């Protein structure tokens, strides 16, 4: 049963990481190594969070078993056997094996493989893959060379620090460090860096997550924030389009200057493949490959400049596509929130959409989630559900903040997480222990990881859903997860007093703590930084509650959503007008499609019947002649296209026309089928042209 529980969690966590990566990444367009590296990093970090409660319950059972083995023999009672001999009957010890017990020797090997693999990813492989993914090189060798050069300073800094430390140890005769102690120092340094960032992210998530759900119950608040996002996203979208136009202009110049027989033409073709299709077609029409390049007469860009241009093309195209998709998603969200606001006052209690949404593929959902059920959920139940969830999460946040400030106290025990675990340990209720540990570390992970998904560092790091995250941001998120998860787990074990360096008790440590080594080598970190630095979460929570970071960013010129700000009000009004404009545009499109559909339904059958009757009553010889004439004309039209155009131009010149400079057209073929109007204008009789402007 224990191996089955471990195997099920391993498989479940893998599919969870795969699902999240599919939501943010793009399996079809992004490189396979990027997908594999990010998936492995996310999978290992999520696996640590899910397996750690099993390690805690197994450790508690091992402590009980060792305590029973080292204790004195229990008192016995006498019983008479079948032969009249009095035999002792031992009293049964309360220790029993948990359902998820993992045998000795498995967890240390498991944690050692998971931990060192994640550290190799975050400090060596993923930074190299980041530089490789952002490189604009045209070959694998060129990308590897660029990645090595960019990471030389990154790796050299760590080697310099480690070398200085080794020299200090060799010179000082009082220090005699062994390999295990050096390994512990390296782990402590990595965990110290991770804990520094962990507390910052945790202080933000503990306040922002409950507040986001509380504000989610306010329909007016969400709608105003959506208008604000629309105004900002439109600015970013326009900037992305302008940037793409500038880059495509540079590509066009390079494409025209470097001809087909130039040595760098392959590099230009590689750049063109990364451009959007419409730009490729436009550049292909203007390309003239009959001219040879003259190296003496013209100046050509170097390969280094083409590498830089290739990098700019990849970035600008990805950013342009991302803003386009995000704009469509934001429009759907704004339309939905406006529909909810309208349906709240509906007397029929039937949810009505302004624009008909696509039908769900699952018939079960379509049957049970009907418009009436949807109205009760969206307009009545969901706000109350979000409020209750916000209150529950707020209670969890208060418990975390209190425990972070008091977990160093062992007599009396003030940390609420330690109190809950110790109460369950007395009754050996392993199910309760695992559930309590899982909920606790899961809430901590949500607070930290959700902040990683929310933060945005300009346009260099940004996790965008709906497959819009670039390779650099995916790899960077994997690096952050691998650096944050080990200190997060150590912090959780300290909150529950399962870490002997915190509880100062001579008890058996968990398997996860054993691979970290004894922190007594660095007592100033174990007894100082690890204990007192987490208290900073109180100050960070207060700053997040009063939105001090948002106000500072707003003062620096980065517009943030603030209800008591004039700039925010202006952006809300601007976003509201943008949403209205897009709604009118979509309504006109739907009206045009409905009119086209009605036109076809009304007159399409009449045309087919009249055509069929005309073909039936027509002369067979005439029909045969027309068919042969059509075949002959289709066969020779392309060959005699220029002659036909000249003939039409002569006929047009022979007829008097009212010349209008505004409507003059050089190509008479465009006005061949139509009805003449005064001023040289033609009105097409086609139904598709009639409804084109509607």
């Amino acid at each position: 049963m224990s191996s089955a529980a471990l195997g099920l969690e391993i498989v479940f966590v893998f599919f969870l990481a795969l699902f999240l990566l599919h939501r943010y990444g793009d399996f079809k367009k992004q490189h396979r190594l990027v997908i594999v590296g990010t998936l492995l990093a996310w999978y290992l970090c999520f696996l640590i969070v899910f397996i750690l409660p099993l390690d805690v319950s197994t450790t508690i059972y091992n402590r009980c078993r060792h305590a029973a083995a080292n204790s004195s023999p229990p008192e016995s009672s006498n019983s008479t056997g079948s032969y009249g001999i009095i035999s002792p009957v031992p009293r049964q010890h309360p220790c029993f094996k948990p359902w998820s017990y993992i045998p000795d020797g498995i967890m240390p090997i498991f944690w050692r493989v998971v931990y060192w693999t994640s550290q190799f990813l975050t400090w060596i492989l993923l930074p190299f893959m980041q530089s490789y993914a952002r490189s604009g090189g045209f070959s694998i060798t060129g990308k590897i060379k660029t990645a090595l050069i960019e990471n030389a300073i990154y790796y050299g800094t760590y080697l310099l620090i480690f070398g200085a430390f080794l020299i200090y140890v060799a010179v000082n005769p009082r220090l005699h460090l062994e390999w295990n102690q050096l390994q512990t120092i390296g782990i402590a340094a990595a965990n110290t860096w991770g804990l520094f960032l962990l507390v910052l992210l945790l202080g933000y998530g503990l306040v922002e997550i409950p507040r986001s759900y509380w504000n989610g119950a306010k329909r007016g608040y969400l709608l105003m924030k959506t208008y604000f996002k629309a105004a900002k996203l439109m600015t970013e979208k326009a900037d992305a389009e302008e940037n793409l136009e500038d880059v495509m202009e540079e590509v066009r110049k390079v494409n025209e200057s470097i001809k087909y027989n130039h040595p760098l033409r392959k590099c230009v073709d590689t750049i063109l493949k990364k451009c959007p299709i419409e730009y490729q077609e436009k550049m292909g029409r203007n390309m003239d490959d009959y001219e040879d390049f003259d190296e003496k007469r013209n100046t050509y860009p170097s390969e280094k400049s083409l590498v830089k241009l290739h990098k700019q093309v990849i970035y600008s195209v990805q950013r342009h596509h991302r803003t386009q998709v995000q704009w469509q998603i934001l429009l759907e969200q704004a339309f939905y929130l406006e529909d909810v606001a309208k349906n709240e006052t509906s007397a029929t209690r039937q949810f009505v959409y302004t624009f008909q949404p696509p039908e769900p593929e699952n018939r079960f959902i379509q049957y049970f989630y009907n418009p009436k059920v949807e109205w009760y959920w969206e307009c009545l139940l969901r706000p109350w559900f979000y409020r209750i969830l916000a209150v529950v999460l707020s209670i969890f946040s208060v418990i975390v903040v209190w425990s972070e400030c008091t977990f160093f106290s062992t007599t009396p025990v003030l940390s609420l997480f330690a109190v809950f675990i110790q109460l369950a340990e007395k009754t050996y209720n392993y199910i309760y222990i695992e559930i309590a540990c899982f909920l606790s570390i899961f809430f901590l992970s949500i607070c930290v990881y959700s902040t990683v998904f929310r933060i945005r560092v300009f346009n260099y790091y940004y996790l965008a859903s709906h497959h819009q995250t670039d390779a650099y941001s995916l790899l960077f998120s994997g690096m952050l997860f691998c650096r944050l998860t080990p200190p997060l787990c150590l912090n959780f074990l300290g909150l529950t007093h399962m870490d002997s360096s915190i509880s100062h008790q001579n008890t058996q440590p968990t398997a996860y703590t054993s691979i970290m080594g004894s922190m007594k080598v660095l007592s100033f970190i174990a007894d100082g930084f690890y204990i007192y630095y987490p208290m900073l979460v109180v100050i960070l929570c207060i700053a997040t509650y009063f939105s001090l970071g948002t106000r500072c960013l707003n003062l620096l010129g980065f517009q943030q959503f603030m209800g008591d700000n004039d700039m925010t009000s202006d952006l809300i009004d601007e976003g509201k007008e943008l949403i209205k404009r897009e709604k009118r545009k979509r309504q006109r499109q739907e009206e045009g499609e409905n009119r086209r559909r009605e036109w076809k339904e009304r007159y399409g059958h009449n045309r087919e019947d009249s055509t069929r009757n005309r073909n039936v009553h027509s002369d067979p010889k005439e029909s045969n002649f027309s068919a042969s004439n059509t075949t002959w004309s289709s066969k020779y039209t392309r060959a005699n296209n220029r002659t036909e155009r000249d003939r039409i131009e002569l006929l047009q010149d022979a007829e008097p026309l009212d010349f209008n400079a505004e409507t003059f057209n050089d190509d008479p073929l465009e006005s061949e089928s139509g009805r003449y109007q005064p001023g040289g204008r033609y009105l097409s009789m086609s139904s598709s042209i009639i409804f084109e402007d509607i």
Side-chain angles (χ1 to χ4, degrees), residues 658 660 663 675-682:
D658 291 336
N660 189 350
T663 60
R675 180 163 53 88
Y676 177 71
Q677 284 187 341
R681 297 179 183 268
Y682 286 85

Side-chain angles (χ1 to χ4, degrees), residues 314-330:
I314 295 174
Y315 170 74
S316 60
V317 170
Q318 199 278 333
R319 183 188 175 194
H320 177 263
H321 180 68
R322 186 191 69 207
T323 53
Q324 295 290 335
V325 174
Q326 287 180 333
W327 176 251
Q328 296 299 325
I329 295 172
L330 189 63

Side-chain angles (χ1 to χ4, degrees), residues 159 169-170 280 359 414 438 448 505 627 647 679:
L159 291 176
V169 172
Q280 294 183 20
E359 296 183 358
L414 298 179
F438 175 75
V448 176
Q505 297 177 359
R647 185 179 65 82

Side-chain angles (χ1 to χ4, degrees), residues 58-59 61-62 65-66 101-109 508:
T58 302
T59 302
Y61 170 73
N62 290 332
R65 188 178 60 179
H66 290 309
Y101 174 74
I102 300 175
D104 297 337
I106 295 179
M107 289 305 298
I109 298 175
Q508 181 182 0

